[in-house]
């Protein structure tokens, strides 16, 4: 997925592919390539740089898959990645925007936000994609 076949119009504003050759390492077989906000503090800025794993708490990734080698990768999933430490100390409710791409690979509904909320009655924290709109 390091080739120019990647459709950058499907990459939401503020998101970036990992720098090469890190992009090859970030493609997970049968799970696609995970892209993240360019300013995510836990990710490396370039090859050979470690990033800061201790800075990771809550990052929304957007993933791309290529159904087969003849097709370009397409936006396939939106996934909040949140640490247990973040969830353990969470109280109240926060809503985060889901950055949107310029073009979508489908004419379906796509989330516009995700919410994290404390559910004291269940001793739990809920993470919910919501605000789905037709693309």
């Amino acid at each position: 997925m390091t080739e120019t076949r990647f459709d950058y119009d499907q990459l939401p504003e503020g998101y970036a592919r990992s720098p090469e050759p890190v992009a090859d390492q970030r493609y997970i077989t049968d799970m696609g390539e995970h892209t993240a906000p360019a300013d995510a503090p836990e990710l490396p800025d370039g090859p050979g740089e470690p990033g800061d794993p201790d800075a990771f708490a809550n990052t929304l990734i957007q993933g791309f898959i290529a159904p087969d080698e003849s097709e370009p990768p397409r936006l396939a999933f939106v996934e909040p990645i949140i640490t247990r430490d973040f969830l353990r100390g969470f109280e109240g409710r926060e809503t985060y925007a889901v950055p949107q791409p310029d073009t979508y690979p489908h004419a379906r509904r796509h989330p516009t936000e995700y919410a994290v909320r404390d559910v004291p009655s269940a001793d739990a924290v809920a993470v919910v994609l919501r605000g789905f709109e037709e693309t």
Side-chain angles (χ1 to χ4, degrees), residues 40-84:
E42 69 271 18
L43 299 178
D45 291 328
E49 296 184 23
D52 184 3
D54 292 333
F56 173 58
N58 178 6
T59 299
L60 181 76
I61 63 169
Q62 300 207 31
F64 290 75
I65 60 166
D68 61 52
E69 291 184 24
S70 68
E71 296 182 53
R74 67 175 189 252
L75 180 61
F77 61 90
V78 174
E79 183 176 357
I81 303 294
I82 304 171
T83 66
R84 288 191 298 184

Side-chain angles (χ1 to χ4, degrees), residues 80-131:
I81 303 294
I82 304 171
T83 66
R84 288 191 298 184
D85 284 343
F86 178 91
L87 295 173
R88 282 186 184 124
F90 191 85
E91 294 179 351
R93 169 184 278 196
E94 289 289 331
T95 300
Y96 305 91
V98 172
Q100 304 297 303
D102 289 335
T103 62
Y104 296 86
H106 54 68
R108 298 185 184 115
R109 296 167 54 100
H110 193 81
T112 60
E113 62 187 18
Y114 73 100
V116 180
R117 66 181 172 88
D118 186 19
V119 186
S121 63
D123 191 27
V125 176
V127 179
V128 180
L129 288 169
R130 61 186 202 180

